[in-house]
Amino acid sequence: MQGQAQQQAYDRGITIFSPDGRLYQVEYAREAVKRGTASIGVRTDDGVVLAVDKRVPSPLLEDSSVEKIHKADDHIGIASAGHVADARQLIDFARRQSQVNQLRYGEPIGVETLTKEVTDHIQQYTQVGGARPFGVALIVGGVENGEPRLFETDPSGTPYEWKALAVGADRSELQNYLEENYDDEADLDGGIQLALDALASVNDGSLLPSEVGLATIDAESESFEQFEQDRIADHLEENDLLDDGEEEPDE
């Protein structure tokens, strides 16, 4: 009984390490991320691609209200997987930090700097009693001094830099697909194709434009651009990924 009581204490207390050095609440937060629909980031020499699976649970729900890709600054985009409300809080924090940097230093914030500001904020919630970790992982992509950068934030508050990555549901399968098919010499269109192919690989080989989110951050213009459904449909059709059950939008 005493052992069970100790186990429950480790489960409840975010600030209490288990005897084997684990924080159970952080691990549970990672499980919450796995329950979210997938998000993918791909870095190329020409920029960064963000692609998300934003499945709409009901035909009565406006698909535009399902937000998984966000603009943090003119040169930075963020994709999320996990608890949407937690993601929204971190996105707002990232936007404030971007504006603070612009006002304080008169220049755009660096992608790595912003990611570490966010992960420092996340990490505080693993050390303070009476709070819980953020149940969300973010993919932060952008351009810094002409160089594309791509980072992941973890519920523990650890940042990782990637060439390509997936977070959320089916991460293992998606990550394996990215590792097998990633091309260091791909351009931005090649990055879009890889991201969409990866999403399709865990969705019966086809996708609906209404259930996909897509954005790029171009290295030359250093600007974030989110795609409308008709452009997403064009990319899906070009790559033979368009679901037959979805008619092409009228011109």
Side-chain angles (χ1 to χ4, degrees):
M1 293 295 294
Q2 184 178 0
Q4 291 180 351
Q6 288 180 340
Q7 177 74 38
Q8 291 173 356
Y10 304 137
D11 280 357
R12 289 195 301 267
I14 182 59
T15 60
I16 302 174
F17 282 100
S18 70
D20 55 350
R22 298 160 61 188
L23 290 173
Y24 285 108
Q25 289 296 318
V26 172
E27 295 184 19
Y28 298 154
R30 292 193 181 111
E31 292 300 317
V33 172
K34 293 178 183 178
R35 293 177 179 271
T37 53
S39 295
I40 292 175
V42 178
R43 189 185 78 193
T44 72
D45 289 340
D46 295 335
V48 175
V49 177
L50 300 175
V52 300
D53 180 348
K54 56 171 199 172
R55 282 173 233 172
V56 180
S58 168
L60 300 178
L61 181 66
E62 288 286 352
D63 54 62
S64 60
S65 68
V66 181
E67 294 184 304
K68 284 176 60 70
I69 296 181
H70 309 262
K71 178 180 179 181
D73 205 342
D74 290 337
H75 63 301
I76 298 176
I78 299 177
S80 66
H83 279 291
V84 176
D86 287 11
R88 188 173 66 247
Q89 290 297 310
L90 292 179
I91 299 296
D92 288 345
F93 176 82
R95 288 170 173 166
R96 289 195 299 271
Q97 294 305 115
S98 297
Q99 293 304 307
V100 166
N101 192 89
Q102 183 68 50
L103 291 170
R104 182 175 294 166
Y105 301 111
E107 62 184 19
I109 193 168
V111 184
E112 183 175 6
T113 300
L114 179 61
T115 302
K116 289 185 176 179
E117 291 277 2
V118 172
T119 51
D120 285 348
H121 181 65
I122 293 171
Q123 193 275 339
Q124 291 177 20
Y125 284 78
T126 70
Q127 261 187 308
V128 178
R132 65 162 175 80
F134 288 92
V136 66
L138 304 179
I139 298 176
V140 184
V143 179
E144 184 174 345
N145 299 322
E147 180 185 357
R149 307 290 297 276
L150 184 67
F151 291 88
E152 173 195 6
T153 75
D154 179 79
S156 67
T158 306
Y160 303 96
E161 186 168 12
W162 294 83
K163 295 179 180 179
L165 81 150
V167 295
D170 302 310
R171 173 168 183 161
S172 296
E173 294 87 343
L174 290 167
Q175 200 65 37
N176 287 338
Y177 187 94
L178 293 171
E179 290 173 1
E180 291 172 4
N181 295 279
Y182 181 79
D183 182 1
D184 283 313
E185 299 180 358
D187 58 11
L188 203 55
D189 284 337
I192 292 173
Q193 180 179 348
L194 175 61
L196 293 177
D197 284 343
L199 281 179
S201 71
V202 295
N203 284 281
D204 300 322
S206 62
L207 298 166
L208 294 170
S210 60
E211 297 185 349
V212 175
L214 189 62
T216 60
I217 305 94
D218 184 84
E220 185 175 354
S221 62
E222 298 193 4
S223 60
F224 171 90
E225 181 182 12
Q226 191 159 357
F227 289 19
E228 299 293 336
Q229 276 192 30
D230 56 348
R231 287 191 65 189
I232 295 173
D234 289 341
H235 280 284
L236 292 176
E237 185 179 17
E238 288 173 9
N239 296 293
D240 295 323
L241 301 174
L242 186 64
D243 192 303
D244 294 335
E246 178 93 349
E247 294 182 1
E248 291 182 52
D250 294 333
E251 294 294 337

